[in-house]
Amino acid sequence: GTSRKTDVEVTPSWKHAIAETSIGKWWNKNAKLDGKQLRKMGIMCLLSYGFISNVNAIILILLATFRAISVTGASPLTDQVALKQFGITWAGLYVLSNVIRPVRIG
Protein backbone atom coordinates (compact mmCIF):
# COMPACT_ATOMS: atom_id res chain seq x y z
CA GLY A 1 0.00 0.00 0.00
CA THR A 2 0.88 3.56 -0.56
CA SER A 3 0.33 6.26 1.97
CA ARG A 4 -1.53 9.42 1.04
CA LYS A 5 -0.94 12.86 2.50
CA THR A 6 -3.90 15.06 3.23
CA ASP A 7 -4.08 18.77 3.89
CA VAL A 8 -6.82 18.40 6.49
CA GLU A 9 -5.92 18.51 10.17
CA VAL A 10 -7.58 15.56 11.87
CA THR A 11 -7.57 16.83 15.45
CA PRO A 12 -7.99 20.46 16.53
CA SER A 13 -5.31 21.94 18.74
CA TRP A 14 -5.96 21.47 22.45
CA LYS A 15 -5.57 25.21 23.06
CA HIS A 16 -8.38 25.94 20.64
CA ALA A 17 -10.55 23.20 22.14
CA ILE A 18 -10.08 24.58 25.67
CA ALA A 19 -10.68 28.16 24.53
CA GLU A 20 -14.09 27.14 23.18
CA THR A 21 -15.31 25.73 26.53
CA SER A 22 -17.22 27.89 29.00
CA ILE A 23 -14.25 27.81 31.38
CA GLY A 24 -11.94 28.82 28.54
CA LYS A 25 -14.19 31.72 27.59
CA TRP A 26 -14.36 32.85 31.22
CA TRP A 27 -10.56 32.61 31.54
CA ASN A 28 -9.95 34.58 28.33
CA LYS A 29 -12.34 37.29 29.52
CA ASN A 30 -11.06 37.60 33.11
CA ALA A 31 -7.38 36.59 33.05
CA LYS A 32 -5.85 39.69 31.54
CA LEU A 33 -2.29 39.57 32.89
CA ASP A 34 0.61 40.42 30.63
CA GLY A 35 4.20 41.57 30.94
CA LYS A 36 3.32 45.24 30.55
CA GLN A 37 0.79 45.02 33.35
CA LEU A 38 3.26 43.15 35.58
CA ARG A 39 5.95 45.80 35.03
CA LYS A 40 3.43 48.47 35.96
CA MET A 41 2.58 46.67 39.22
CA GLY A 42 6.26 46.43 40.11
CA ILE A 43 8.44 44.18 42.19
CA MET A 44 6.17 44.40 45.25
CA CYS A 45 3.51 42.42 43.38
CA LEU A 46 6.03 39.67 42.68
CA LEU A 47 7.26 39.63 46.27
CA SER A 48 3.77 39.60 47.74
CA TYR A 49 2.71 36.72 45.49
CA GLY A 50 5.87 34.83 46.48
CA PHE A 51 5.10 35.40 50.15
CA ILE A 52 1.50 34.23 49.77
CA SER A 53 2.65 31.21 47.78
CA ASN A 54 5.15 30.25 50.51
CA VAL A 55 2.55 30.68 53.26
CA ASN A 56 0.21 28.48 51.24
CA ALA A 57 2.91 25.80 50.90
CA ILE A 58 3.55 25.85 54.67
CA ILE A 59 -0.16 25.51 55.40
CA LEU A 60 -0.45 22.55 52.99
CA ILE A 61 2.52 20.78 54.63
CA LEU A 62 1.15 21.40 58.13
CA LEU A 63 -2.33 20.15 57.20
CA ALA A 64 -0.93 17.04 55.49
CA THR A 65 1.33 16.33 58.49
CA PHE A 66 -1.55 16.78 60.95
CA ARG A 67 -3.74 14.48 58.88
CA ALA A 68 -1.02 11.80 58.66
CA ILE A 69 -0.36 11.91 62.40
CA SER A 70 -4.06 11.89 63.31
CA VAL A 71 -4.82 8.91 61.03
CA THR A 72 -1.78 6.77 61.78
CA GLY A 73 -0.64 7.99 65.20
CA ALA A 74 2.92 8.27 63.90
CA SER A 75 5.11 10.92 62.32
CA PRO A 76 5.64 10.80 58.55
CA LEU A 77 9.36 11.11 59.30
CA THR A 78 9.46 7.79 61.17
CA ASP A 79 6.71 5.60 59.70
CA GLN A 80 6.12 4.44 56.11
CA VAL A 81 2.32 4.29 56.48
CA ALA A 82 2.26 7.83 57.87
CA LEU A 83 4.54 8.98 55.05
CA LYS A 84 2.18 7.46 52.48
CA GLN A 85 -0.81 9.16 54.15
CA PHE A 86 1.12 12.45 54.18
CA GLY A 87 1.92 12.13 50.46
CA ILE A 88 -1.66 11.34 49.48
CA THR A 89 -3.06 14.20 51.57
CA TRP A 90 -0.44 16.69 50.40
CA ALA A 91 -0.95 15.76 46.73
CA GLY A 92 -4.71 16.23 47.04
CA LEU A 93 -4.32 19.58 48.77
CA TYR A 94 -1.72 20.67 46.20
CA VAL A 95 -4.06 19.89 43.30
CA LEU A 96 -6.92 21.72 45.01
CA SER A 97 -4.64 24.67 45.71
CA ASN A 98 -3.62 24.90 42.05
CA VAL A 99 -7.22 24.68 40.90
CA ILE A 100 -8.06 27.76 42.96
CA ARG A 101 -4.84 29.60 42.03
CA PRO A 102 -6.61 32.10 39.73
CA VAL A 103 -8.67 33.19 42.74
CA ARG A 104 -5.48 33.66 44.78
CA ILE A 105 -3.92 35.73 41.97
CA GLY A 106 -7.01 37.95 41.82
Side-chain angles (χ1 to χ4, degrees):
T2 61
S3 63
R4 297 184 339 194
K5 290 185 179 180
T6 61
D7 293 329
V8 178
E9 185 178 340
V10 177
T11 58
S13 73
W14 63 271
K15 289 181 183 179
H16 180 69
I18 291 173
E20 293 301 314
T21 65
S22 59
I23 293 173
K25 289 176 184 175
W26 175 86
W27 183 262
N28 289 334
K29 178 183 173 190
N30 295 310
K32 304 292 183 199
L33 193 64
D34 58 7
K36 189 176 185 179
Q37 191 176 9
L38 286 174
R39 283 189 292 281
K40 189 169 77 171
M41 286 190 266
I43 191 77
M44 291 309 292
C45 177
L46 179 66
L47 292 175
S48 65
Y49 181 76
F51 176 76
I52 291 170
S53 182
N54 287 334
V55 168
N56 183 57
I58 291 168
I59 291 170
L60 294 182
I61 290 170
L62 290 174
L63 288 173
T65 303
F66 176 76
R67 173 77 176 153
I69 291 171
S70 66
V71 168
T72 64
S75 168
L77 297 174
T78 61
D79 185 63
Q80 284 296 111
V81 175
L83 181 60
K84 183 177 180 180
Q85 179 64 47
F86 169 83
I88 291 168
T89 304
W90 181 83
L93 291 172
Y94 181 80
V95 168
L96 180 65
S97 173
N98 281 304
V99 166
I100 64 170
R101 183 174 295 224
V103 175
R104 289 190 344 229
I105 289 174

